Coordinates of all heavy atoms in Angstrom, one line a residue:
K20 N 299.7 118.2 -58.0 CA 300.3 119.1 -59.1 C 301.8 118.7 -59.3 O 302.4 118.7 -60.3 CB 300.4 120.5 -58.7 CG 300.8 121.6 -59.8 CD 299.9 122.7 -59.8 CE 300.4 123.7 -60.9 NZ 300.2 123.4 -62.2
D21 N 302.6 118.2 -58.2 CA 303.9 117.7 -58.4 C 303.9 116.5 -59.1 O 304.9 116.2 -59.8 CB 304.5 117.5 -57.0 CG 304.8 118.8 -56.2 OD1 304.9 119.9 -56.8 OD2 305.0 118.6 -55.0
S22 N 302.9 115.7 -59.1 CA 303.0 114.3 -59.8 C 302.4 114.6 -61.3 O 302.7 113.7 -62.1 CB 302.2 113.2 -59.1 OG 300.9 113.6 -59.1
A23 N 301.5 115.4 -61.5 CA 300.8 115.6 -62.8 C 300.6 117.2 -63.0 O 299.4 117.7 -62.5 CB 299.5 114.8 -62.8
D24 N 301.4 117.9 -63.7 CA 301.3 119.2 -63.8 C 299.9 119.6 -64.5 O 299.6 119.0 -65.5 CB 302.4 119.8 -64.5 CG 302.5 121.3 -64.4 OD1 302.0 121.9 -63.5 OD2 303.1 122.0 -65.4
F25 N 299.2 120.6 -64.1 CA 297.9 120.9 -64.7 C 297.6 122.3 -64.7 O 298.3 123.1 -63.9 CB 296.7 120.2 -64.1 CG 296.6 120.5 -62.5 CD1 295.8 121.5 -62.1 CD2 297.3 119.7 -61.6 CE1 295.7 121.9 -60.7 CE2 297.1 120.0 -60.3 CZ 296.4 121.1 -59.8
D26 N 296.9 122.9 -65.6 CA 296.6 124.3 -65.7 C 295.2 124.6 -65.3 O 294.8 125.9 -65.1 CB 296.8 124.7 -67.2 CG 298.2 124.7 -67.7 OD1 299.1 125.0 -66.8 OD2 298.4 124.3 -68.8
G27 N 294.3 123.6 -65.1 CA 293.0 123.9 -64.8 C 292.5 122.6 -64.0 O 293.2 121.6 -63.9
I28 N 291.3 122.9 -63.3 CA 290.7 121.7 -62.7 C 289.1 121.8 -63.0 O 288.5 122.8 -63.2 CB 291.0 121.8 -61.1 CG1 290.6 120.7 -60.4 CG2 290.3 123.1 -60.6 CD1 291.2 120.7 -59.0
W29 N 288.6 120.7 -63.0 CA 287.2 120.5 -63.2 C 286.5 119.9 -62.0 O 286.8 118.8 -61.5 CB 287.1 119.3 -64.3 CG 285.6 118.9 -64.7 CD1 284.4 119.6 -64.5 CD2 285.3 117.7 -65.4 NE1 283.4 118.9 -65.0 CE2 283.8 117.8 -65.6 CE3 286.0 116.7 -65.9 CZ2 283.2 116.7 -66.2 CZ3 285.3 115.7 -66.5 CH2 283.9 115.6 -66.6
L30 N 285.6 120.7 -61.4 CA 284.9 120.4 -60.2 C 283.4 119.8 -60.7 O 282.5 120.5 -60.9 CB 284.7 121.6 -59.3 CG 286.0 122.2 -58.9 CD1 285.8 123.4 -58.0 CD2 286.9 121.2 -58.1
D31 N 283.4 118.4 -60.7 CA 282.2 117.8 -61.1 C 281.5 117.3 -59.8 O 282.1 116.9 -58.9 CB 282.5 116.7 -62.0 CG 281.2 116.1 -62.8 OD1 280.3 116.7 -62.6 OD2 281.3 114.9 -63.4
M32 N 280.1 117.3 -60.0 CA 279.4 116.8 -58.8 C 279.6 117.6 -57.5 O 279.8 117.1 -56.5 CB 279.5 115.3 -58.5 CG 278.9 114.4 -59.6 SD 277.2 114.5 -59.7 CE 276.6 113.8 -58.1
N33 N 279.8 118.9 -57.7 CA 280.3 119.8 -56.6 C 279.1 120.4 -55.9 O 279.0 121.7 -55.8 CB 281.3 120.8 -57.0 CG 281.0 121.7 -58.0 OD1 280.2 121.2 -59.0 ND2 281.3 122.9 -58.1
E34 N 278.1 119.7 -55.6 CA 277.0 120.2 -54.7 C 276.6 119.1 -53.7 O 276.9 117.9 -54.0 CB 275.8 120.6 -55.6 CG 275.4 119.6 -56.5 CD 274.3 120.2 -57.4 OE1 274.1 121.4 -57.6 OE2 273.6 119.4 -58.0
A35 N 276.1 119.5 -52.7 CA 275.7 118.5 -51.7 C 274.6 117.7 -52.2 O 273.6 118.2 -52.8 CB 275.1 119.2 -50.4
S36 N 274.9 116.3 -52.4 CA 273.9 115.5 -53.0 C 273.5 114.2 -52.2 O 274.2 113.9 -51.2 CB 274.5 115.0 -54.4 OG 275.7 114.3 -54.2
S37 N 272.4 113.7 -52.5 CA 272.0 112.4 -51.9 C 271.3 111.5 -53.0 O 270.5 112.2 -53.7 CB 271.0 112.7 -50.8 OG 270.3 111.5 -50.4
F38 N 271.6 110.3 -53.1 CA 270.9 109.5 -54.1 C 269.7 108.8 -53.5 O 269.3 107.8 -54.1 CB 271.9 108.7 -54.7 CG 272.9 109.3 -55.5 CD1 274.2 109.5 -55.0 CD2 272.7 109.7 -56.8 CE1 275.1 110.3 -55.8 CE2 273.6 110.5 -57.6 CZ 274.8 110.8 -57.0
C39 N 269.1 109.5 -52.5 CA 267.8 108.9 -51.9 C 266.6 109.4 -52.6 O 265.5 109.0 -52.2 CB 267.8 109.1 -50.4 SG 269.2 108.4 -49.6
N40 N 266.7 110.4 -53.4 CA 265.5 111.1 -54.1 C 264.5 111.5 -53.1 O 263.2 111.4 -53.4 CB 265.0 110.1 -55.1 CG 265.8 109.8 -56.3 OD1 266.7 110.7 -56.6 ND2 265.9 108.6 -56.6
G41 N 264.9 112.0 -52.0 CA 263.9 112.6 -51.1 C 263.2 111.5 -50.3 O 262.2 111.9 -49.6
E42 N 263.6 110.3 -50.3 CA 262.8 109.3 -49.7 C 263.5 108.5 -48.6 O 263.3 107.5 -48.2 CB 262.2 108.3 -50.7 CG 261.4 108.9 -51.8 CD 261.0 108.0 -52.8 OE1 261.3 106.8 -52.7 OE2 260.2 108.4 -53.8

Side-chain angles (χ1 to χ4, degrees):
K20 189 145 178 67
D21 288 342
S22 66
D24 195 24
F25 60 90
D26 293 323
I28 194 164
W29 173 24
L30 301 176
D31 191 15
M32 293 296 293
N33 61 325
E34 56 189 15
S36 58
S37 166
F38 293 97
C39 294
N40 295 325
E42 298 175 2

